[in-house]
Amino acid sequence: MEYIVSARKYRPMTFDSVVGQAALTTTLKNAVKSGKLAHAYLFCGPRGVGKTTCARIFAKAINCMNPTDDGEACNECESCQAFNEQRSYNIFELDAASNNSVDNIKSLMDQTRIPPQVGRYKVFIIDEVHMLSAAAFNAFLKTLEEPPAHVIFILATTEKHKILPTILSRCQIYDFERMTVANTVNHLKMVAEKEGIQYEEEALAVIAEKADGGMRDALSIFDQTASFSQGNITYQKVIEDLNVLDAENYFNIINLALENKVPDIMVLLNNVINKGFDGGLLINGLASHVRNVLMAKDPQTLPLLEVSEQQRQRYQQQAQNCPTPFLYKALKLMNQCDVEYRQSSNKRLLVELTLIQVAQITQPDDDGVSAGRSPKRLKSLFRKLFQTVKPEPAAQVAGAKRVSGKTNENVISNDSNLPKDANDAKDSKEVKPAQPKITLGSLSMSFNNILNDGKGTHSDIQEPELKNKEEKKPFTEDELLFQWRAMCKRMQGNDKFKGLATRMRNIIPAITTYPQVEIVAENGILLKEIEDIKRRIRITLANELHNADLTITVRLAKQEEIKPMLRPNELFDKIKKENSAIAKLSEVLQLDLA
């Protein structure tokens, strides 16, 4: 006996057997009952949701000689019998993916002139109609606008946006919905029962989630897992066959994170990676899991969970133990990790740092002050250093904050106890000893900066003030670029900004919506550094351009926006290629780049 895959064997034959498209099938049945048929229909939606199936059922019902009271085909008349036996001359199917030329369409148009021999209409089903060439669309347009009275066109496509507006305006458009997990699971249950296959509902839910809204995909995966499990589809066999990461890992990570058990999470991550799963897949799956937990906290959002009933109960149980701020912060951290994952050169480290930060969200601060995004355990690493270093006398000259002849750029100090000027020093009866100072040498970074995640890096630089809040002088992108370069040049005079200024010179700011200026950073590190001084940049540019309304937005560059840096000789070659006059001058004078 010939084996037929489930997607073909259980293909719906009536409107009522179509899954998940109740609104569309009701409309089509009412059109058949009333006889009010359009000359062209467009069925669009994702793959495997029933577009071509509904087109065939509709074509069959249109030509049925004795349709039922609810608009279904009778399956007994000559037209229905011919369709069921695939010998109907009134229903034509064309695959536009492989027949997309003008000649194919002209041949089809020639057939529209011949009236049907049996039944009332000739129905032309054109699948993947977006694949037609522009010339074929134009050849099809006139016939579609004024077809013979006995012709009905049914077009099907997965990419509606690729179809010409002149075609769309001549069709009744039906948008098919993606299959929900619940509808897919119910259909798979029906197929399993008819095939005599045992199953676990949780296993069918995994298949439905993997199908991503496509019933045909779900049935194909169902056949695959049924073959693998030899007629007994279990959860463990499904995740093993489909190489899906077990949802138990996500529940465990969240439970461990609530208890701040970083080592256990690291071991779990290592086991996941050793099984061949990508760290980015884990982060994406964990983000979806946390989102589901967040939805499970409120009865109003509980219906948004497209999971099995058993999984829904587990989400509700975990939601009771998770504080809402924890879920918000965890989602933010994982979203940031997902954004930076593709550009990261050490992807595993990025995933590990993200999981460490998630695990420390609920950890109490060591010193009562938040450590920002930095791991809070870092505080205890340096506490003993501050206790063991002996305090040194305060500086004798006010304002000269030096330790062993070195400036305060390489030390950490608390200036709250130092006199502000010489007069204050004279008036004070007792000069308090300075706070502990630790020299970091060439690192040029204080422990205070580390603990505050770099937030205090530029805090000792005097912030500029907006000179005139009434100025609104218009400026151009050329003026903006000139002042940007001038600002970067001034920044290079300060050792703390020297490296940042060099990187900022490669950025070309752009005016998006006047007077809003957009700055695009090539990586996350540069983005963070610019964000730290964003307010100073805005005030500086507003003063120089004499426009107090100027605003600044900073964003991370997309992959296609990142351009390689050119060496001087490469840049010179590019200029010569783009400017023939310079190329000729270079050749005549035999110029070369020094």
Side-chain angles (χ1 to χ4, degrees):
M1 184 177 178
E2 182 184 0
Y3 171 73
I4 303 175
V5 296
S6 298
R8 290 179 55 201
K9 186 175 181 180
Y10 295 98
R11 192 168 198 164
M13 299 299 294
T14 62
F15 285 122
D16 290 337
S17 59
V18 176
V19 180
Q21 311 294 344
L24 297 182
T25 54
T26 300
T27 305
L28 295 175
K29 285 195 294 184
N30 290 339
V32 173
K33 285 192 295 183
S34 63
K36 296 179 180 179
L37 301 173
H39 66 275
Y41 296 85
L42 176 65
F43 293 171
C44 49
R47 69 182 190 278
V49 294
K51 300 184 296 296
T52 306
T53 297
C54 283
R56 291 175 179 175
I57 297 172
F58 187 42
K60 178 181 174 181
I62 286 173
N63 275 322
C64 180
M65 298 176 180
N66 303 303
T68 62
D69 294 337
D70 59 350
E72 294 277 10
C74 68
N75 279 323
E76 296 177 357
C77 64
E78 173 59 25
S79 177
C80 290
Q81 290 291 335
F83 178 84
N84 292 339
E85 296 171 8
Q86 298 182 358
R87 55 180 176 83
S88 174
Y89 288 101
N90 293 341
I91 300 173
F92 298 88
E93 284 193 44
L94 178 72
D95 178 22
S98 55
N99 301 280
N100 56 5
S101 66
V102 177
D103 293 337
N104 296 130
I105 292 299
K106 286 183 177 179
S107 175
L108 190 69
M109 296 306 100
D110 290 339
Q111 296 182 41
T112 62
R113 301 174 185 175
I114 305 171
Q117 301 301 314
V118 179
R120 291 175 293 175
Y121 297 99
K122 269 196 170 184
V123 183
F124 294 87
I125 301 172
I126 305 179
D127 206 1
E128 301 298 338
V129 69
H130 66 274
M131 299 290 286
L132 288 177
S133 63
F137 266 128
N138 292 329
F140 180 46
L141 192 59
K142 185 63 179 176
T143 305
L144 184 66
E145 183 178 10
E146 297 177 359
H150 59 268
V151 171
I152 292 179
F153 291 104
I154 304 177
L155 315 179
T157 179
T158 55
E159 301 186 45
K160 174 183 171 183
H161 60 279
K162 291 186 178 180
I163 299 178
L164 297 177
T166 49
I167 299 290
L168 295 176
S169 64
R170 289 165 169 80
C171 301
Q172 281 191 11
I173 301 174
Y174 290 77
D175 289 302
F176 283 67
E177 300 177 358
R178 303 181 76 88
M179 298 294 173
T180 64
V181 172
N183 284 338
T184 305
V185 169
N186 290 335
H187 190 66
L188 292 179
K189 285 181 181 177
M190 182 271 295
V191 173
E193 289 169 359
K194 286 189 176 182
E195 293 291 325
I197 297 174
Q198 297 180 349
Y199 61 86
E200 292 179 0
E201 185 171 345
E202 195 173 358
L204 298 183
V206 173
I207 295 174
E209 291 173 15
K210 184 77 171 177
D212 194 25
M215 184 61 75
R216 183 171 60 240
D217 291 0
L219 289 169
S220 298
I221 298 171
F222 175 83
D223 287 344
Q224 176 184 335
T225 54
S227 178
F228 176 78
S229 60
Q230 296 182 346
N232 184 15
I233 302 178
T234 63
Y235 176 78
Q236 288 298 329
K237 289 181 179 178
V238 167
I239 62 173
E240 181 183 352
D241 182 39
L242 301 181
N243 199 28
V244 176
L245 190 56
D246 191 353
E248 191 67 28
N249 292 295
Y250 303 136
F251 284 101
N252 290 339
I253 289 175
I254 296 303
N255 290 335
L256 293 171
L258 292 172
E259 299 174 11
N260 313 126
K261 293 183 177 179
V262 174
D264 293 343
I265 294 178
M266 293 297 100
V267 172
L268 191 153
L269 172 63
N270 185 66
N271 292 336
V272 168
I273 293 177
N274 287 341
K275 290 179 181 178
F277 293 100
D278 183 60
L281 178 66
L282 175 68
I283 289 295
N284 288 331
L286 186 60
S288 299
H289 175 85
V290 173
R291 176 260 182 195
N292 288 343
V293 174
L294 186 62
M295 296 300 105
K297 287 188 74 69
D298 195 316
Q300 290 183 332
T301 56
L302 191 60
L304 299 179
L305 295 182
E306 291 193 354
V307 294
S308 64
E309 185 61 33
Q310 183 179 356
Q311 287 288 85
R312 182 179 281 107
Q313 293 176 1
R314 292 198 65 186
Y315 279 122
Q316 286 181 291
Q317 183 179 358
Q318 190 168 72
Q320 295 174 359
N321 302 326
C322 293
T324 302
F326 165 80
L327 298 174
Y328 288 151
K329 292 177 182 177
L331 279 174
K332 184 177 180 181
L333 287 171
M334 286 180 287
N335 181 65
Q336 184 174 352
C337 177
D338 183 48
V339 171
E340 298 175 357
Y341 189 79
R342 293 181 182 177
Q343 297 179 348
S344 175
S345 58
N346 193 339
K347 292 179 169 49
R348 175 164 181 167
L349 179 60
L350 177 63
V351 173
E352 289 175 342
L353 287 174
T354 301
L355 293 178
I356 289 172
Q357 290 169 349
V358 171
Q360 293 186 337
I361 292 175
T362 59
Q363 178 179 315
D365 294 343
D366 290 346
D367 297 332
V369 181
S370 174
R373 290 184 58 218
S374 298
K376 300 175 183 178
R377 290 293 186 194
L378 286 178
K379 294 180 179 179
S380 59
L381 298 178
F382 305 109
R383 188 179 298 156
K384 292 183 179 180
L385 290 175
F386 287 104
Q387 295 173 351
T388 56
V389 177
K390 296 181 180 179
E392 295 184 21
Q396 297 301 315
V397 181
K401 306 166 190 172
R402 297 176 177 269
V403 178
S404 303
K406 296 186 179 180
T407 64
N408 67 324
E409 290 181 359
N410 293 333
V411 299
I412 174 172
S413 65
N414 186 344
D415 295 337
S416 61
N417 294 327
L418 294 177
K420 296 181 180 178
D421 52 38
N423 294 328
D424 292 342
K426 292 178 182 179
D427 295 339
S428 60
K429 295 181 181 179
E430 180 181 358
V431 179
K432 296 182 180 180
Q435 295 297 318
K437 301 182 179 182
I438 302 173
T439 300
L440 293 182
S442 61
L443 292 178
S444 297
M445 181 178 289
S446 66
F447 284 128
N448 186 49
N449 290 338
I450 296 175
L451 298 180
N452 288 287
D453 198 21
K455 293 179 180 177
T457 304
H458 312 300
S459 60
D460 57 338
I461 306 298
Q462 185 175 1
E463 186 168 322
E465 295 181 358
L466 195 60
K467 294 177 182 178
N468 191 343
K469 298 181 179 179
E470 305 299 325
E471 288 186 314
K472 291 182 172 53
K473 181 180 177 181
F475 60 90
T476 64
E477 286 200 342
D478 290 339
E479 293 172 333
L480 171 65
L481 180 60
F482 177 80
Q483 294 300 339
W484 174 269
R485 294 278 170 81
M487 177 186 67
C488 293
K489 188 172 182 63
R490 292 193 299 271
M491 288 171 62
Q492 286 181 324
N494 188 303
D495 291 340
K496 287 191 175 181
F497 289 106
K498 194 169 185 179
L500 175 59
T502 303
R503 295 191 293 275
M504 285 175 57
R505 277 185 62 85
N506 297 323
I507 297 176
I508 300 179
I511 301 174
T512 52
T513 304
Y514 185 88
Q516 185 174 1
V517 175
E518 183 180 66
I519 300 171
V520 181
E522 288 190 354
N523 54 63
I525 297 175
L526 181 58
L527 177 72
K528 178 68 169 58
E529 290 181 328
I530 295 177
E531 284 282 4
D532 289 344
I533 61 171
K534 174 182 172 181
R535 188 170 184 273
R536 292 179 177 140
I537 294 174
R538 191 199 80 80
I539 295 175
T540 300
L541 293 177
N543 287 336
E544 297 298 331
L545 294 170
H546 304 285
N547 191 317
D549 289 342
L550 182 145
T551 59
I552 286 180
T553 58
V554 186
R555 68 172 176 85
L556 191 65
K558 299 176 182 177
Q559 190 67 34
E560 59 270 15
E561 294 176 328
I562 300 176
K563 299 179 180 178
M565 294 291 294
L566 298 178
R567 294 192 293 271
N569 59 333
E570 294 175 337
L571 183 60
F572 186 50
D573 291 339
K574 181 181 178 183
I575 293 173
K576 289 193 295 182
K577 186 179 295 185
E578 294 176 352
N579 194 315
S580 58
I582 293 179
K584 187 173 182 180
L585 182 65
S586 173
E587 181 181 353
V588 171
L589 300 179
Q590 296 182 351
L591 299 178
D592 196 5
L593 194 65

